[in-house]
């Protein structure tokens, strides 16, 4: 199904906006209640990529965007700069076909190559499918926050999962190279 995982481009943003709109309106992965428009999604994309974080697209044989994933800062305090949070969204027609796993594997590889040491997944709605995808890519359970969001008329739990990247905490990082320079 997935022909390629590549860097997302500005031309992909209308499809990204549509995929995210569906996730906001029908799902629990995002705790947003109103889907952002193309201008807002463009601003978010620009802010993330301007800091050097990876933003990936999954493309099928016809060139259709099946899903996207990106890494971003988990928190903005400088000591957290070695930790990234992943976000993955898959078009409804492509769910359950391995697109999310392909995106996550690509994102993990890219973040390791960039020098990040840990990746965290914040699983909104405690989605079993998202937990399974993360577990298949080496993530382990790191915690659960009960009743943290209210959406679609119900209280939602949030699950945290974590995966070490590269040398993780086994060595001290190089503060003079990326992501040390993100401070």
């Amino acid at each position: 199904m997935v022909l390629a995982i590549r860097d997302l481009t500005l031309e992909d943003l209308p499809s990204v906006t549509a995929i995210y709109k569906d996730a906001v309106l029908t799902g629990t992965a995002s705790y947003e209640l109103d889907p952002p428009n193309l201008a807002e999604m463009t601003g978010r994309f620009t802010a993330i990529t301007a800091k050097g974080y990876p933003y990936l697209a999954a493309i099928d044989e016809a060139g259709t965007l099946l899903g996207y994933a990106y890494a971003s800062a988990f928190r903005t305090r400088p000591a957290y700069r070695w930790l990234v949070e992943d976000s993955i969204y898959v078009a409804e027609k492509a769910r359950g076909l391995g697109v999310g796993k392909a995106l996550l594997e690509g994102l993990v590889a890219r973040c390791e190559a960039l020098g990040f040491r840990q990746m965290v997944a914040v699983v909104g709605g405690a989605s079993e499918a998202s937990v399974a995808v993360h577990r298949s890519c080496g993530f382990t359970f790191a915690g659960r926050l009960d009743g943290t969001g209210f959406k679609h008329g119900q209280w939602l739990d949030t699950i945290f999962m974590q995966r070490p990247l590269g040398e993780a905490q086994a060595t001290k990082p190089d503060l003079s190279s990326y992501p040390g320079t993100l401070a």
Side-chain angles (χ1 to χ4, degrees), residues 26-109:
T26 66
T28 59
S30 170
Y31 282 7
E32 286 195 73
L33 301 176
D34 298 311
N37 63 23
L38 178 58
E40 174 64 22
M41 292 299 284
T42 301
R44 292 178 188 188
F45 168 78
T46 302
I48 289 167
T49 57
K51 291 193 175 275
Y53 293 105
Y55 210 124
L56 305 178
I59 307 299
D60 70 9
E61 308 82 28
T64 303
L65 184 80
L66 301 174
Y68 66 96
Y70 60 90
S72 59
F74 175 69
R75 296 283 184 266
T76 57
R77 302 284 193 262
Y80 281 119
R81 65 187 172 248
W82 309 100
L83 168 66
V84 290
E85 178 179 344
D86 73 84
S87 294
I88 306 164
Y89 293 94
V90 177
E92 182 181 15
K93 69 178 183 179
R95 291 181 193 146
L97 302 175
V99 175
K101 184 173 182 177
L103 283 164
L104 185 53
E105 288 172 341
L107 196 61
V108 165

Side-chain angles (χ1 to χ4, degrees), residues 56-179:
L56 305 178
I59 307 299
D60 70 9
E61 308 82 28
T64 303
L65 184 80
L66 301 174
Y68 66 96
Y70 60 90
S72 59
F74 175 69
R75 296 283 184 266
T76 57
R77 302 284 193 262
Y80 281 119
R81 65 187 172 248
W82 309 100
L83 168 66
V84 290
E85 178 179 344
D86 73 84
S87 294
I88 306 164
Y89 293 94
V90 177
E92 182 181 15
K93 69 178 183 179
R95 291 181 193 146
L97 302 175
V99 175
K101 184 173 182 177
L103 283 164
L104 185 53
E105 288 172 341
L107 196 61
V108 165
R110 184 73 66 87
C111 288
E112 280 182 329
L114 287 169
F116 291 103
R117 300 295 187 95
Q118 298 284 337
M119 184 177 283
V120 66
V122 181
V123 183
S127 163
E128 291 180 23
S130 185
V131 168
V133 166
H134 282 87
R135 189 176 293 121
S136 75
C137 290
F139 285 73
T140 58
F141 181 80
R144 180 185 193 101
L145 301 173
D146 295 329
T148 52
F150 188 79
K151 188 174 179 183
H152 304 309
Q154 63 182 337
W155 284 106
L156 302 170
D157 299 340
T158 303
I159 290 179
F160 286 84
M161 298 182 79
Q162 182 177 354
R163 184 193 192 286
L165 301 175
E167 296 176 347
Q169 68 269 26
T171 62
K172 291 186 178 178
D174 179 357
L175 298 174
S176 67
S177 66
Y178 188 85

